[in-house]
Amino acid sequence: MKSVRPAFLPGLLCLLALLPFAAPAQAPRPRARASDLGISFGGAPGALNAITDVKGVEVGHTTLISGGDAPGAPRVRTGVTAVLPRGRDAVAQPVFAATYALNGSGEMTGTHWVKESGLLFGPVMISNTHAVGAVHEGVIAWAQKRNLTWELGLPLVAETWDGLLNDIDGFHVRPTHAMQAIDAARPGPVPEGSVGGGTGMVCHGFKGGIGTSSRRLPAEQGGYTLGVLVQCNYGSRRLFSVAGVPVGEEIPDLRSCYTGSQPPKGPFFLQLKPCSTPGVVKPTHPEGMGSIIVVVATDAPLLPHQLDRVARRVPLALGKMGGLGEDFSGDIFLAFSTQPAQAVDGAASAQVAMLENERLNPLFEATVQATQEAILNAMLVSDTMTGNQDARVYGLPHDRLVKALRKAGRLPPAPKPKPSP
């Protein structure tokens, strides 16, 4: 049968050719990190400026963002982050490790065995406060499928509270999400900001989340690499400081607020104000009640007692950023070394190395530097987010941060515009 072409079709095609069509949507450009803005905390970052600069370390995320189509409807803003010290292929091989808590209003399961044995088996998992059980179960289920339940039987699961932006009482994190985060773990660049366990977190009154950084020591100091990953959900705006500059005082506004017609319900939302309220500079929800989890990795040959010393230097970085280890803040840290920690070929003893104690100072300094930068990266990469019960938390404005640092002489002045021809 001969097809009939409508007489109007050629004219219609010519008309459509003249109409402007939108270009295919492009992924939003990632927000700048500290180094992109010229902000330095000293030392030399690794190639990726991430915890994965330590050879063998892999990071994976499961990010859960859904809900909230109707005003006031529950919104999910949470997830799971997995840090694998030896990667997925060698996940059951232990590393020397140590933990330290600046303030214990938080949870990190599995730490008793780390303290007892000096060893960490399996991944480091980070999620929200109410998801600890589900993530713990997920690690066991993942191990069971691979006949590793004995080796991974005491999972290390850490948490921070994301109940301002996330429907935390909805228990949206499931064991499968923990399994997915482990399976997603990769070397290379690490996604930061509102991803994984950091999806719904708040840091110093701005949107927080996952951040990472690293330092590479010079050859004369061993050439070792040290990397840090944080889940940042702590601190007050008033004390927030960057490179010694009281940034929180320079940016007292952009406080948490709500966008809906009704204020959110719950004891933590009593002071929250509508986002349309101008000039709010006082805290609109309790500050200093969040937490921060910090994971420090290094390829330096350190034993558990030395890693304990490294973990104890993390609070120095928090103090420089304005953290106090407040009463309701869970500030819990883990440090591990990727040097071999097991005997080979069934030998009764393992051959391990130990860096001399007097050579630890550069690693202490690298820990403080990388932790500060990781915290700031978590804030810089995170954008403004509206979450559960229409609560909104603003991202740290890059332009105002740079302006504050220039004002204090911590960054060079802005280049003068070139005169027009």
Side-chain angles (χ1 to χ4, degrees):
M1 179 177 178
K2 185 178 180 180
S3 61
V4 179
R5 188 179 189 184
F8 64 85
L9 186 56
L12 177 61
L13 293 175
C14 291
L15 177 61
L16 291 174
L18 296 174
L19 294 177
F21 284 92
Q26 296 181 348
R29 184 179 180 181
R31 281 167 59 90
R33 307 175 80 201
S35 57
D36 298 325
L37 300 177
I39 301 171
S40 173
F41 294 92
L48 300 171
N49 199 5
I51 193 172
T52 48
D53 281 321
V54 179
K55 185 178 180 181
V57 176
E58 299 179 359
V59 177
H61 301 296
T62 299
T63 302
L64 305 176
I65 298 179
S66 64
D69 295 333
R75 288 187 172 100
V76 180
R77 305 287 189 269
T78 193
V80 184
T81 292
V83 180
L84 280 60
R86 297 201 188 280
R88 200 164 43 255
D89 293 339
V91 68
Q93 296 180 16
V95 292
F96 288 128
T99 63
Y100 176 68
L102 173 63
N103 194 65
S105 183
E107 182 61 272
M108 182 183 282
T109 69
T111 57
H112 291 294
W113 183 233
V114 173
K115 290 180 180 294
E116 178 75 18
S117 67
L119 296 171
L120 166 67
F121 292 81
V124 180
M125 309 297 292
I126 318 175
S127 189
N128 76 59
T129 306
H130 293 184
V132 171
V135 175
H136 195 283
E137 181 181 346
V139 176
I140 298 294
W142 188 90
Q144 187 178 37
K145 290 184 175 182
R146 294 157 180 82
N147 297 318
L148 295 174
T149 52
W150 176 258
E151 293 87 346
L152 274 59
L154 296 172
L156 195 147
V157 183
E159 56 76 29
T160 61
W161 188 82
D162 59 11
L164 178 63
L165 288 168
N166 176 49
D167 178 31
I168 191 171
D169 289 335
F171 297 98
H172 300 283
V173 173
R174 301 285 189 260
T176 53
H177 297 134
M179 300 168 72
Q180 291 166 6
I182 299 173
D183 286 332
R186 298 288 187 276
V190 177
E192 295 173 286
S194 298
V195 295
T199 301
M201 301 303 167
V202 182
C203 195
H204 286 290
F206 293 108
K207 183 67 189 68
I210 298 293
T212 189
S213 183
S214 70
R215 290 297 182 272
R216 175 80 174 177
L217 300 189
E220 61 270 20
Q221 294 177 345
Y224 304 114
T225 299
L226 181 143
V228 170
L229 182 138
V230 306
Q231 181 160 296
C232 177
N233 191 58
Y234 80 109
S236 69
R237 176 75 63 83
R238 176 177 60 90
L239 297 175
F240 177 46
S241 179
V242 176
V245 179
V247 174
E249 296 178 3
E250 296 287 335
I251 316 176
D253 54 330
L254 298 180
R255 294 288 180 170
S256 301
C257 54
Y258 64 90
T259 62
S261 58
Q262 300 294 326
K265 299 178 182 178
F268 297 106
F269 304 97
L270 295 179
Q271 300 178 47
L272 217 60
K273 300 182 183 301
C275 293
S276 58
T277 305
V280 177
V281 296
K282 293 183 178 180
T284 55
H285 70 280
E287 294 190 308
M289 295 183 66
S291 303
I292 182 169
I293 301 298
V294 181
V295 180
V296 183
T298 184
D299 57 8
L302 304 185
L303 296 183
H305 70 283
Q306 296 175 308
L307 291 163
D308 177 79
R309 299 182 70 190
V310 169
R312 288 174 181 272
R313 269 58 185 183
V314 171
L316 298 175
L318 269 62
K320 285 176 173 287
M321 300 297 289
L324 295 177
E326 290 94 336
D327 181 56
F328 273 108
S329 185
D331 310 316
I332 308 176
F333 322 124
L334 169 83
F336 65 82
S337 167
T338 59
Q339 77 152 314
Q342 284 184 308
V344 296
D345 299 328
S349 60
Q351 300 296 318
V352 299
M354 187 191 83
L355 194 66
E356 292 182 335
N357 279 335
E358 55 265 32
R359 296 181 179 270
L360 289 177
N361 286 345
L363 292 170
F364 293 160
E365 185 175 8
T367 299
V368 176
Q369 292 168 342
T371 301
Q372 290 179 85
E373 187 164 349
I375 291 170
L376 187 58
N377 281 339
M379 301 169 69
L380 288 172
V381 178
S382 297
D383 210 343
T384 298
M385 176 178 284
T386 301
N388 196 45
Q389 299 193 74
D390 301 312
R392 173 172 291 173
V393 177
Y394 290 96
L396 174 61
H398 293 191
D399 56 344
R400 295 178 66 180
L401 169 64
V402 169
K403 181 179 179 181
L405 294 177
R406 282 177 172 155
K407 177 182 174 182
R410 303 297 293 182
L411 284 178
K416 296 180 179 180
K418 296 181 179 179
S420 56

